Amino acid sequence: MNNTEFIHSLVRVGDDADKLSELRARLAAAAQRDAVLDIAYRVLDAPVGPLLVAATEQGLIRVAYAREDHDAVLQHLADKISPRILYVPGRLDAVARELDEYFAGARHDFGVPLDWRLSAGFRSTVLHHLHEIGYGQTASYAAVAKLAGNPKAVRAVGTACATNPLPVVVPCHRVVRSDGTMGGYLGGVEAKRLLLDLERVA
């Protein structure tokens, strides 16, 4: 059993909700006290389905749709960043608040700090340019390739969007095909449509 599985077995043990909550709180407090907590996570209810959000001391490092398999996402974080991961919802209150405001149509930009370690190279360059697509607007993959400094890298832009570790917050949903059709989305076409419709209405 690896460290991530061990932590999961602890926080999910038992049928008593109060005991489970108490155990989680004790584990979180001990991990923070002993400086052995590198990644905190929680799962939020959202109009696009459950979203796993995870953060390091540097900032939000991952937003994941249910279709990405939250357990697989946590294992990937353990492998790439650190196995010292724990369910500590309080550490993500600011993220939860901003996402709630966004889905309510009251927030157009996110202000939480981001940890970009899961993206690199041209993919990172693409993701850093996505905030230039305004709220309620869209841009083609070709237009984003130009923004990123390589007009011929249209396919690479698609790959960057498909592997975006911070969907919703880093708005890859605003990138569409040149003919105006939506194209693919890591959260699914329905989630992409919902986000675009939300922004248009707001």
Side-chain angles (χ1 to χ4, degrees):
M1 177 180 289
N2 62 33
N3 289 346
T4 304
E5 290 169 337
F6 175 68
I7 289 171
H8 275 76
S9 70
L10 286 176
V11 299
R12 291 175 177 174
V13 70
D15 297 323
D16 188 301
D18 291 334
K19 288 181 180 178
L20 181 57
S21 180
E22 180 185 350
L23 176 58
R24 282 176 165 164
R26 287 171 54 200
L27 284 169
Q32 292 183 85
R33 181 191 66 233
D34 298 335
V36 294
L37 174 61
D38 291 332
I39 302 173
Y41 78 94
R42 69 188 285 181
V43 178
L44 307 174
D45 291 327
V48 290
L51 290 176
L52 180 143
V53 291
T56 65
E57 288 292 336
Q58 289 95 321
L60 182 66
I61 194 168
R62 195 70 169 87
V63 177
Y65 286 96
R67 65 183 286 161
E68 297 179 74
D69 184 349
H70 289 169
D71 286 338
V73 169
L74 290 171
Q75 185 60 59
H76 183 256
L77 287 171
D79 295 340
K80 291 289 186 179
I81 305 298
S82 170
R84 300 193 299 189
I85 302 173
L86 199 60
Y87 176 85
V88 188
R91 284 270 296 269
L92 290 130
D93 282 348
V95 174
R97 182 177 64 255
E98 291 198 6
L99 282 166
D100 284 345
E101 292 168 354
Y102 170 80
F103 284 116
R107 172 174 289 277
H108 295 182
D109 295 294
F110 290 91
V112 293
L114 304 179
D115 184 334
W116 292 95
R117 280 182 286 172
L118 293 177
S119 62
F122 185 70
R123 292 182 186 182
S124 180
T125 301
V126 169
L127 297 181
H128 277 80
H129 279 283
L130 294 184
H131 74 278
E132 296 174 38
I133 309 170
Y135 183 92
Q137 305 297 313
T138 59
S140 69
Y141 292 97
V144 174
K146 290 179 184 177
L147 280 176
N150 190 343
K152 295 182 178 179
V154 177
R155 286 183 180 272
V157 168
T159 301
C161 291
T163 57
N164 178 9
L166 295 163
V168 185
V169 176
V170 176
C172 58
H173 59 276
R174 297 177 190 160
V175 185
V176 298
R177 291 174 176 159
S178 296
D179 63 3
T181 57
M182 285 191 299
Y185 185 59
L186 73 170
V189 174
E190 288 305 315
K192 185 170 186 174
R193 180 179 290 112
L194 187 151
L195 295 175
L196 293 175
D197 288 348
L198 166 72
E199 294 185 4
R200 289 191 187 105
V201 170

